[in-house]
Amino acid sequence: IGTEAFISLDNIRDIQIFLTGGIEFPGIYTLNGNSHLLHALNVAGGISEDGSFRSIEIKRNGELIHEADLYEALILGDTSFNIPLKSGDTIYIKPAKKLVRVEGALNNIGVFELKENEVLSDLITYAGGFSRAAINNQKLILNRFQNGDYVSLDISTSDFEDIQIMNGDSIYARKHIIGSIEINGEVQNPGKYSITNQDTISSVIKRA
């Protein structure tokens, strides 16, 4: 009674984490006691080409305590899933199941992973929406390998919520491509002209 005690933390004990599945260098890693999921993935070389960014399991004492979706952090900026790790935890990166390529006039082009219940509108959100170079931000081209052949479909924005994307699909948004062409011969004004991919031979001759 009448005594005040002060406690300060001098060092944080290291923890050992086991990473397995779709990771570049699976194994047991010793990490700082303050480490989170993103720290552990970085130390192990990151997610492999076949690993999932959308389904990462954290297990403790043999039980699943959390399933993380890295798109929440990497695309949407939400890191609330990043719970502290404890010694003995296992991180399992599941295989990616549905990969879709996005090209053309979208702000973020590349390969994106979709969950089973996600549709085309979700993919457009992850791709950052249409860029300023879009010719028509109301339509997309869907390329799909189906029954041994590639098929190409025009899709309007009104159908985005209903289109189920399949693994291996490719989405393309048409965009303006700027170039130049030289016209010589029997025209009034021969020379070089700037063109877009919307120009035709007749339209350029008319300008000349």
Side-chain angles (χ1 to χ4, degrees), residues 142-153 167-170:
L142 169 63
N143 297 308
R144 173 176 292 170
F145 190 71
Q146 186 172 315
N147 299 325
D149 293 312
Y150 275 103
V151 295
S152 183
L153 305 171
N167 182 50
D169 283 352
S170 177

Side-chain angles (χ1 to χ4, degrees), residues 2 15 36 88 125 208:
I15 59 176
H36 296 264
T125 299

Side-chain angles (χ1 to χ4, degrees), residues 23-34:
I23 193 79
E24 284 292 343
F25 304 107
I28 298 175
Y29 289 85
T30 300
L31 306 174
N32 182 280
N34 280 330

Side-chain angles (χ1 to χ4, degrees), residues 2-187:
T3 300
E4 289 188 66
F6 298 91
I7 299 175
S8 61
L9 183 64
D10 185 47
N11 290 301
I12 298 176
R13 184 178 62 183
D14 289 339
I15 59 176
Q16 285 192 324
I17 304 297
F18 179 49
L19 288 102
T20 185
I23 193 79
E24 284 292 343
F25 304 107
I28 298 175
Y29 289 85
T30 300
L31 306 174
N32 182 280
N34 280 330
S35 296
H36 296 264
L37 173 61
L38 294 178
H39 300 144
L41 295 176
N42 183 59
V43 170
I47 296 175
S48 67
E49 185 176 347
D50 297 324
S52 172
F53 281 75
R54 311 296 310 278
S55 184
I56 301 173
E57 294 183 346
I58 302 176
K59 297 181 179 181
R60 184 169 296 162
N61 299 323
E63 296 183 359
L64 177 66
I65 64 169
H66 188 71
E67 185 170 358
D69 180 353
L70 289 190
Y71 276 21
E72 294 177 2
L74 301 178
I75 297 178
L76 305 178
D78 181 6
T79 58
S80 59
F81 71 88
N82 216 7
I83 62 175
L85 298 173
K86 291 185 178 182
S87 194
D89 285 354
T90 295
I91 298 174
Y92 171 59
I93 295 89
K94 291 183 177 181
K97 294 182 178 180
K98 188 187 292 187
L99 298 176
V100 182
R101 179 172 296 278
V102 172
E103 299 174 304
L106 291 158
N107 286 307
N108 301 315
I109 61 173
V111 177
F112 290 86
E113 179 184 355
L114 294 183
K115 294 182 178 180
E116 287 301 321
N117 61 339
E118 290 181 329
V119 293
L120 184 55
S121 58
D122 297 303
L123 178 62
I124 301 304
T125 299
Y126 298 143
F130 290 91
S131 70
R132 289 180 296 177
I135 294 175
N136 186 345
N137 60 5
Q138 302 296 316
K139 287 188 177 181
L140 288 172
I141 299 174
L142 169 63
N143 297 308
R144 173 176 292 170
F145 190 71
Q146 186 172 315
N147 299 325
D149 293 312
Y150 275 103
V151 295
S152 183
L153 305 171
D154 286 334
I155 302 172
S156 64
T157 51
S158 60
D159 299 324
F160 282 5
E161 296 291 338
D162 302 321
I163 298 296
Q164 289 292 332
I165 301 299
M166 298 174 60
N167 182 50
D169 283 352
S170 177
I171 301 296
Y172 180 77
R174 294 184 180 92
K175 66 177 183 178
H176 293 288
I177 301 174
I178 306 298
S180 64
I181 188 172
E182 186 172 355
I183 302 177
N184 291 309
E186 299 303 320
V187 292

